[in-house]
Every structure is written in structure tokens, then in C-alpha cells.
Amino acid sequence: VGRPRRCLALLPTPLHRLHALEAVLGSGPILLKRDDLVGFGLAGNKARPLEFLLGDALSSGADVLVTGGAPGSNFIGAAALAARVGGLQCELLVAGPVPQRLPVTLELARQCGAELSFVEVPREDLDRVIVDRAAELGRLGASAYAVVRGGANPVGALGFAMAAAELADQLPPLDLADPTVVLPTGSGASLAGLIAGRAAIGATWQVVGVSVSRPLTAITADVHALAAGCAALLDAPAPGRDGVRIVDATGLGFGRLTHRDVRRVRVALHAEGVLFDATYGAKALGVLVDLVDAGEQRPIVLWHTGGLPSAMKLLAEPGLVG
Ligand SMILES: Cc1ncc(COP(=O)(O)O)c(C=O)c1O
């Protein structure tokens, strides 16, 4: 794409078979796409949108990046780090009261020099607060670049449109049938990019988005609107919905797992030594096991999006031992 991009990630991230997990589950081929190994702070998959967002910010002459999210957001910590390495100042607007102790991602952001402000507005209103703050900074003479929660705009989605091409390059040597790609979904930017990129290269994989936080109707509308916006940046028509499914994995709530979820994380950990986080990875892994149980015929690519700060939470779960 002819869009400005500032490299942050070590790409391509590895794609490899999980033979031991296949044996435990009695399944066909399972592949893991390792965005947990992206090599940029604790960013996981969020390094991908940030390459395009930072590139855009720098080429527009910005001097400060303004974004925000929930206190545990992996995106805001990664955005602060991206701003730092790109030579930009960073303001983070964090939803909720000042916490007694900063979560790991926010501590990282603070260490990178980001200015944190805690704003007690509902999370849904945060995007407006971000845009307002950038406008205010503009009036004060700064050149501010606003990024909505999760980097969920068409420019951010380009990161995963490129990831679709990356996956397409990695699959042929494995000599497998067209896979079903399972991707955990929060804001929807990654899934939207993957859908736009998949359509642009004419790939015929199935895609399953695993919604961990938003109700199905809302996330479905957001994802397809973002995919259309991203496709427009690629000079491609809006992608259709064929072969794309979004499943509701909100379950007990954001980052909350059932005993069955924890057992599945344990199976993967003990078979493969791969750790999944509670918020995203565990739920996507759960959907993968459900697909296997339902007799999925295609190879499955599970996208490991990182989220390791919240994987630490799992260590407090008694179900992980034994
Ligand atoms: C570890 C991890 N996985 C998946 C996602 C979901 O990505 P998206 O917000 O693009 O849907 C996020 C978003 O914050 C994340 O931090």
C-alpha cells in the first residue's frame, strides 16, 4: 500500500503447527500465528495497526499523539511506546478513576513519558473525548494526531490487511487445504483489516472473529464498516461477508473465564508451552476447541494476539495447576 508506515514489529511473525495439541484434541492441523512474538514492547497484535498510525502521524507533521482506552488496554501501552520511538509526545486518556496501582501497560506508558489523564466517562464516550482533546491541543498551537480506542479506524486496520498478505505467503509451503482463521476481536480493527486484506488478495479462507467484549450486532456492524473503510484505502471495493463469521465469546464478561476455559488454556500450556491471556487468547482458544468438537474439516489457524500482561492473571487461577 502507498501509505506511510513506520516499522515497529519483527515481521513476519512465525506460523507453526501445534502437533502436540492436535494429538490431545484428536484434531486435524492446527497452526498458531505468533503475534505474541511481535517483538515490540508488550504490543502483540497492536504493533501492526501502530505501524500505519504512527507513519500517518509522522507524515502529517504531528508532534503529539492522543489516544485512550480502558486501564488494562494493551493498545494504549503500545501506542505510548510507539509515540516514544517515533519521537512524538503522547497523551493517554484512560477511562475510570485513578487506580491505586497502575496496571503493567500503563506503567510502561508512564515510563515512556506518556502523560496519563483519568477521565470518568463511559468507555463508549472516550473516542469523543480523545478527538476533543486533540482539537484543544490544536487550538493551543500543538499538532495533535488523534487515535480512537484500539486504533480502530481504517488506517489502523491496514495493519491486519498487510497481515492477511503475510499469512497468504506463509501457507503454501505447509501444503494444507484452505484454513479457517480464528482471531480474537475487541475493537474490531484487526478483524476488519484481515477481512479487507483477505478480499484484496482473493484468499478463500474462512474467518471466525471471536468477540470478547461487544455484543454481536454492534461488533458485526463496526467490523464491516471498518473493513469497507480499509478496503477503500487499498483502492478495493468493500469486501463481502461470505466466509466471515463473528461469534459471541463475551461469556461471563470481559476477561472472565469459566473453569472450562481455564482447563483449555492448561491443555495448550501443558501440550505446547504456549501461554494464552485471559481476555483474548483463552476465548479464541475456546472457540477453536468448539470448532474441533463440531468436526471442523479445514485446518485451523489460531491467531495468538499477545496480551501477555493479562496472561499473568491466569496464574492466580487454581485450575491451571495439575
Ligand atoms: C491481546 C489482544 N488481542 C486481541 C485484541 C483485539 O484486537 P482488536 O481491538 O483489533 O479487535 C486486542 C485489542 O486490544 C488485544 O490487546
Side-chain angles (χ1 to χ4, degrees):
V1 277
R3 302 287 304 195
R5 178 177 188 174
R6 166 68 155 82
C7 292
L8 302 171
L10 296 176
L11 301 177
T13 58
L15 175 74
H16 63 97
R17 283 280 290 267
L18 299 183
H19 291 287
L21 185 64
E22 291 167 14
V24 175
L25 298 178
S27 73
I30 297 176
L31 299 124
L32 197 59
K33 179 71 172 143
R34 302 296 299 267
D35 278 11
D36 55 324
L37 304 178
V38 81
F40 184 70
L42 297 166
N45 65 326
K46 292 299 182 180
R48 294 184 186 273
L50 281 165
E51 291 198 338
F52 288 94
L53 292 165
L54 180 61
D56 200 33
L58 292 172
S59 74
S60 70
D63 44 37
V64 51
L65 187 145
V66 183
T67 190
S73 160
N74 295 307
F75 178 72
I76 54 179
L81 185 55
R84 178 88 229 183
V85 303
L88 301 180
Q89 292 175 350
C90 181
E91 281 199 19
L92 294 183
L93 302 162
V94 186
V98 181
Q100 290 201 320
R101 194 157 164 246
L102 290 180
V104 172
T105 44
L106 287 187
E107 186 55 45
L108 180 72
R110 201 180 60 80
Q111 299 276 347
C112 289
E115 195 177 304
L116 311 184
S117 306
F118 292 86
V119 288
E120 301 212 29
V121 298
R123 238 186 273 178
E124 315 76 74
D125 292 345
L126 209 53
D127 288 347
R128 183 184 43 77
V129 177
I130 291 166
V131 172
D132 287 353
R133 176 61 185 154
E136 187 183 358
L137 284 168
R139 286 193 295 277
L140 294 170
S143 173
Y145 185 86
V147 178
V148 292
R149 289 177 301 151
N153 63 25
V155 172
L158 284 172
F160 259 75
M162 295 301 109
E166 183 180 307
L167 180 64
D169 284 344
Q170 289 175 309
L171 285 169
L174 297 167
D175 202 20
L176 298 168
D178 262 357
T180 294
V181 181
V182 177
L183 177 71
T185 299
S187 70
S190 305
L191 180 60
L194 188 69
I195 293 169
R198 164 185 170 270
I201 58 179
T204 48
W205 325 313
Q206 303 284 303
V207 174
V208 178
V210 177
S211 178
V212 303
S213 55
R214 300 192 192 180
L216 225 41
T217 36
I219 189 70
T220 303
D222 288 353
V223 163
H224 290 293
L226 265 173
C230 180
L233 294 180
L234 298 168
D235 284 329
R241 299 186 180 197
D242 275 3
V244 178
R245 220 156 29 101
I246 304 182
V247 298
D248 186 342
T250 50
L252 294 180
F254 192 58
R256 298 191 52 207
L257 301 181
T258 62
H259 292 303
R260 193 168 66 153
D261 294 329
V262 175
R263 273 199 306 278
R264 289 170 167 179
V265 169
R266 180 179 61 183
V267 166
L269 179 65
H270 290 193
E272 298 282 355
V274 177
L275 189 53
F276 288 94
D277 75 297
T279 310
Y280 298 97
K283 292 194 170 176
L285 178 68
V287 167
L288 174 144
V289 179
D290 289 344
L291 285 173
V292 169
D293 288 349
E296 175 70 31
Q297 294 299 304
R298 293 168 174 253
I300 303 175
V301 175
L302 176 60
W303 213 295
H304 194 320
T305 51
L308 291 183
S310 100
M312 299 307 153
K313 270 202 269 178
L314 273 172
L315 301 178
E317 295 276 353
L320 213 56
V321 185

